[in-house]
Structure formats: structure tokens, C-alpha cells
Amino acid sequence: MATADDQLIQDNVDLIREVFLYANRFRGKRFVIQIGSELVEDQWFPSIVRDLGILHRAGIQIILVPGAGKRIDEVLHKYGLPIVRKGTTRISDDEAMPLIKMAAFDVANAVLTQLTSQKIDAMIGNWVRARAIGVRDGVDFQNAGLVAGVNEEFLTKVLAEGHVPILPCIGWSATGKPYNISSLELAATTAEKMKAEKLFFLDDDLEFDAEGHLLPPDGVLVKEGRITRMLARSAASFAETNDNLDDLEYEIMRLGSHAALHGVQRVHYLNGMVDGAILREVFTALGQGTMIYTDEFEDIRPMRSEDIPEVLRVMEPSISAGILVQRDEDYMLRMYEHFAVYVADGAVRGCCALVPYGSQHAEIAGLAVDQNFAHLGIGNKLLSYFRNVAHERSIRHLFLLTTQTGDYFESIGFRQASLEQLPPERQASYNPQRKSRIYILPL
Ligand SMILES: CC(C)(COP(=O)(O)OP(=O)(O)OC[C@H]1O[C@@H](n2cnc3c(N)ncnc32)[C@H](O)[C@@H]1OP(=O)(O)O)[C@@H](O)C(=O)NCCC(=O)NCCS
């Protein structure tokens, strides 16, 4: 009998597999990481930097964009200057600008110092071009600027040499005039321009829960109340339909969905106060925060013979529990062409087969979802996929046999049927000992 220790070792082995899978996947890729100003000044910041060191040593190219809002507020307050904002944009006059610049570089320096303590080579630079926001709706934004571009060539060189570039929230016009820019916008634009694999927004209490929000009808996955994933287009509509989002939440959702729709593979929102938040998000499948993805991430594709070991791994718990009939490598070698797999981040997380009987009937078989990915809608997606396939092939009746999962299939429209309703060939191979129930979905 497996002991608690055996279980712990097994869990660790599973975790190590997962970590290596992701570590290999991300080597040489670029991550742009925006860190909220509260977090940069927090006592836990060194532990975040330690985790960034791990990413850096794993061969990931990191660009850091620290927010300086808190520090700027402190400095302006100290010198008796007003603090004026419109949404997430600070409106700053000529008198405040030298202090803002000083505070922004002060924060960048603090980040550089922390990186140095982790033996990571880092650089602060003037790689950002900016232009004035100007006057909008009668409001003069004065020295607040928009990101006009980043020096991609130079950043590429800095990254290739193994440095971590740090971008303070200051940009310069073509004539050298400095502007205060939003670190959120800077991170998102840099991620797009630098073709980053991932863009992170890390803050001290950032969490998107399902409760209290209007969720778009599709493309949203929720686990234990947390929105774990949203399709980029769903994230855009989430930002527009939820007027209870605060300015920061709205802005990062808007920028994040834009970045995801413009080439950034994934955008992640994380509560940086959770120990190891960024490592959990990068190296484990379900992560810790909320992720924006494009359709490409969750993929259903026909199974290939090299998927056999992974498919058997996904099925194994259901086979051991007697829910699925025994399947081995020989069976899979004969049948894999009838299967489709659901792949997330390069690993198989679900499988299902459609086995034709004559031209009118087909059986849904071998449906299984990785237990760590249960209740995320993967089962439903695989079934919808095969419903479409069946439709395209003019199949009239989908059927399946199950001993324990009847409720699930009934909930999605299957109805219980009798043995006589199956095609004769399948009636002949029905195993009466197993006493499976028969379900049919007329199409
Ligand atoms: C059945 C199975 C494929 C569902 O996959 P899934 O991706 O977790 O399911 P979805 O997320 O698409 O659907 C979830 C909903 O289906 C229902 N559901 C899931 N599993 C169920 C089950 N075993 N019995 C009854 N209802 C079930 C629940 O209502 C659930 O809603 P919830 O998330 O709000 O609780 C998965 O649980 C599995 O692999 N089971 C073991 C193998 C099996 O039974 N295969 C079918 C044999 S033919």
C-alpha cells in the first residue's frame, strides 16, 4: 500500500517533470516583468529578485519595468508639491518633473542593487522614446508622456550579453525632453516590440476572482474562485463590461489583452506577495494568478503515435479505478488515429476518440482529462470537437458506453439507450459483465 511518504515523493517527481518541461520550453525566450511600486519597496522584494535570478539562470531573457508611483508620491509630498492623477496617469508640472525623474531612477537603482546581490548583471538605460500626451478632454497632461518606441536593437544586444535591462518610467522625446510614462504601458509596449513570450504584471494584492464580476460567455476558466485563464478577446470584453474594476485592474486588463492580441504569447497577472508567485506561474501548469492567452495555447489536435505514453498516463487513474476499460500500448498503436489530444503548454492534458461504425454511427471512447486539469471545460471541448467532426462526416448517431460517468454525458445532451440501438457490430462486442450503460446523442 502506498504510504504518505510515497505519495510525497510521487508529487515531487511530478513537480520536477513539470518544472523541466517548462524550463526547456522557455530557454532563450523573453519575459517582460512589470513590478508594482508597492512591491518594489516591500520587505519581500529580495525574495522576488531571488526568483528572478532563477529564471535568469534558466536562460530566460528578462526585462524589468519597476513602477515608481509610491516613491514619486513620497518625494512630491516631502517637497510639498501636489499629487494629481487622472486614472493611472500622473499629471506633473515642470517643477515636479526633476523630482519625478530622480524618484524613478532611485527605484531603478534599488532594483539594480538587489539584482547585484544575486550576482545578476543589470543595466539601467535611456532606451525609451516618449511623446507628450498633450491636452485631452480639456485636461493638460503636462509632462506625462506616452511610449513612442523602445530601442529594440540596443535592448536585444544587452539581453544577448546576458544583462537584465531595467527600464525606469521615464522616456525622452527626440529632442531629449523627459516625460513621465506609465510603467504599465511601458511594459506592455516593450513586450510587444521585443516579441516577448510573456508579459507579467506583479503587484501587492493583484487577484482576479470570478465572484463579483461579469464573465464573458466563453474563453474563461475558473478554478476555486480564481480566474485562471482568459482568452485575449474575452479579457478585452471583461475589461469593458466590469465597471467595478479599479483603474489599475482596468488598465492592465486592457493593456494585457492588447499585448496578447499583438504577438505576446501570454500575459500574467500575479499577486507578488505570494511566496514564489512567479516561479509557480512559470513552472507549473495551473499557475497561481490569471493568464491571458490566445487560441493557440489550448489546442486540440489529432493524436500522433509519439503521444501514446502521455495519453496512457492521462488515462491511467481512470483505468485503475475501473472507469475506463483497460488500454495498453498495443491497443493505442492500433487505435491512435481515431484519437484527438488536448495539449496545453506542450503536454497532453486530455484525450478522446471517435470510432466510426458504418457511415451513420460513431462511438465516443477513451475520454479522459488529467486530474490536475479537471473542471476546466477540457472534457466539454473534446466532446464539442468530435461533435463537429461527426457533423462534417454526416454521422447521425454518436453513442458511448459508460459505467460511472452517465450523469456527465446526460448533462450535455446524451440520452440513455438500449443495446438494440447500437450498430450490430458493436452489439456483438458489448461486454455484458461490465454492465455499461449506453448513451446516444442524435445529431
Ligand atoms: C468526465 C471527464 C472527462 C470530465 O472532464 P472535465 O474536463 O473535468 O469536465 P468539464 O470541465 O468539461 O465539465 C465539468 C462539469 O462536468 C460535470 N462532471 C465532470 N465529471 C463528472 C462526473 N464524473 N460525473 C458527473 N458529472 C461530471 C460537472 O458538472 C462539472 O461541472 P463543475 O466543474 O461545475 O463541477 C473527467 O472527469 C474524467 O476524465 N473522468 C474520468 C474518465 C471518464 O469518466 N471518462 C468517461 C468514460 S466514457
Side-chain angles (χ1 to χ4, degrees):
M1 208 177 80
T3 64
D5 279 354
D6 291 339
Q7 189 54 49
L8 188 65
I9 291 168
Q10 185 56 48
D11 289 349
N12 286 338
V13 170
D14 289 346
L15 183 65
I16 291 165
R17 277 200 192 109
E18 225 169 294
V19 167
F20 274 97
L21 177 86
Y22 288 106
N24 283 328
R25 205 179 117 86
F26 295 132
R27 186 160 297 128
K29 297 280 165 48
R30 288 176 187 160
F31 290 6
V32 175
I33 305 173
Q34 193 276 342
I35 307 175
S37 64
E38 303 277 343
L39 213 53
V40 175
E41 305 220 354
D42 192 88
Q43 55 168 329
W44 296 113
F45 186 60
S47 91
I48 295 176
V49 173
R50 198 189 51 217
D51 292 348
L52 295 180
I54 293 173
L55 296 182
H56 181 67
R57 280 186 280 276
I60 294 165
Q61 299 189 341
I62 297 173
I63 300 174
L64 287 183
V65 187
K70 185 172 180 234
R71 185 88 189 95
I72 295 172
D73 283 356
E74 282 164 8
V75 172
L76 293 181
H77 183 72
K78 188 170 158 197
Y79 288 90
L81 296 178
I83 294 165
V84 188
R85 280 197 179 83
K86 182 143 175 60
T88 51
T89 307
R90 179 188 298 279
I91 302 178
S92 36
D93 59 19
D94 289 346
E95 200 185 349
M97 201 49 207
L99 296 172
I100 291 174
K101 222 168 64 179
M102 183 185 79
F105 274 86
D106 202 21
V107 168
N109 262 317
V111 173
L112 182 107
T113 305
Q114 283 300 331
L115 289 169
T116 309
S117 75
Q118 290 297 316
K119 306 199 168 33
I120 302 170
D121 292 333
M123 282 172 97
I124 301 171
N126 57 347
W127 301 302
V128 180
R129 268 185 300 112
R131 60 184 163 80
I133 296 180
V135 180
R136 288 192 184 177
D137 300 327
V139 179
D140 184 349
F141 282 80
Q142 304 190 51
N143 291 301
L146 292 170
V147 181
V150 293
N151 190 334
E152 293 156 47
E153 204 181 315
F154 207 87
L155 279 173
T156 303
K157 216 167 127 211
V158 168
L159 289 167
E161 283 168 2
H163 299 292
V164 172
I166 303 171
L167 310 187
C169 55
I170 300 292
W172 289 264
S173 72
T175 57
K177 179 173 162 45
Y179 286 101
N180 179 201
I181 50 179
S182 143
S183 64
L184 308 172
E185 191 208 342
L186 176 56
T189 309
T190 306
E192 286 180 30
K193 300 271 183 219
M194 296 299 292
K195 300 184 178 50
E197 178 83 7
K198 287 180 183 288
L199 163 65
F200 289 87
F201 291 102
L202 237 78
D203 216 327
D204 60 336
D205 67 348
L206 196 53
E207 254 157 27
F208 288 104
D209 292 327
E211 207 183 307
H213 292 124
L214 293 169
L215 299 185
D218 65 352
V220 181
L221 301 180
V222 176
K223 185 140 181 140
E224 286 154 12
R226 166 171 60 100
I227 300 175
T228 54
R229 294 177 194 172
M230 264 199 272
L231 265 176
R233 63 180 152 75
S234 309
S237 90
F238 180 85
E240 295 313 323
T241 50
N242 283 285
D243 49 19
N244 57 352
L245 295 180
D246 65 28
D247 288 340
L248 174 78
E249 290 172 329
Y250 171 79
E251 188 63 1
I252 57 177
M253 215 22 105
R254 185 184 73 76
L255 289 167
S257 53
H258 186 279
L261 290 168
H262 289 81
V264 178
Q265 295 294 311
R266 319 260 192 277
V267 179
H268 302 259
Y269 305 108
L270 292 184
N271 179 351
M273 298 300 274
V274 175
D275 186 27
I278 199 157
L279 297 183
R280 290 182 204 213
E281 187 71 8
V282 174
F283 294 120
T284 66
L286 275 178
Q288 176 264 322
T290 296
M291 185 184 86
I292 307 294
Y293 64 100
T294 44
D295 288 297
E296 170 269 334
F297 173 63
E298 297 187 284
D299 214 3
I300 295 178
R301 61 161 171 79
M303 181 176 166
R304 303 189 278 252
S305 60
E306 58 267 31
D307 298 321
I308 291 176
E310 278 202 77
V311 166
L312 286 172
R313 176 188 59 77
V314 170
M315 285 181 172
E316 201 281 322
S318 305
I319 294 174
S320 300
I323 300 172
L324 287 183
V325 289
Q326 183 63 40
R327 268 143 182 143
D328 57 16
E329 213 175 319
D330 284 347
Y331 168 90
M332 291 309 302
L333 273 170
R334 274 184 284 116
M335 298 297 286
Y336 76 86
E337 283 172 346
H338 296 299
F339 273 81
V341 287
Y342 179 99
V343 180
D345 268 344
V348 173
R349 305 298 182 185
C351 59
C352 186
L354 185 77
V355 185
Y357 284 87
S359 61
Q360 305 263 302
H361 291 80
E363 178 176 4
I364 292 281
L367 172 65
V369 171
D370 184 328
Q371 288 171 332
N372 293 323
F373 284 71
H375 304 287
L376 291 174
I378 296 175
N380 273 336
K381 273 195 186 166
L382 282 161
L383 289 173
S384 308
Y385 172 84
F386 275 129
R387 238 192 249 203
N388 288 344
V389 173
H391 189 75
E392 280 164 16
R393 294 184 193 164
S394 305
I395 286 164
R396 305 271 303 272
H397 304 282
L398 273 188
F399 67 90
L400 60 90
L401 275 62
T402 180
T403 51
Q404 299 178 32
T405 322
D407 288 346
Y408 174 69
F409 292 109
E410 278 193 29
S411 73
I412 50 178
F414 280 82
R415 292 290 163 257
Q416 212 170 332
S418 62
L419 187 60
E420 294 69 41
Q421 288 173 270
L422 296 186
E425 204 186 335
R426 189 62 179 96
Q427 287 183 35
S429 62
Y430 179 82
N431 175 358
Q433 262 106 53
R434 213 170 141 75
K435 295 195 175 65
S436 301
R437 292 194 179 141
I438 297 161
Y439 286 86
I440 286 194
L441 180 76
L443 296 171

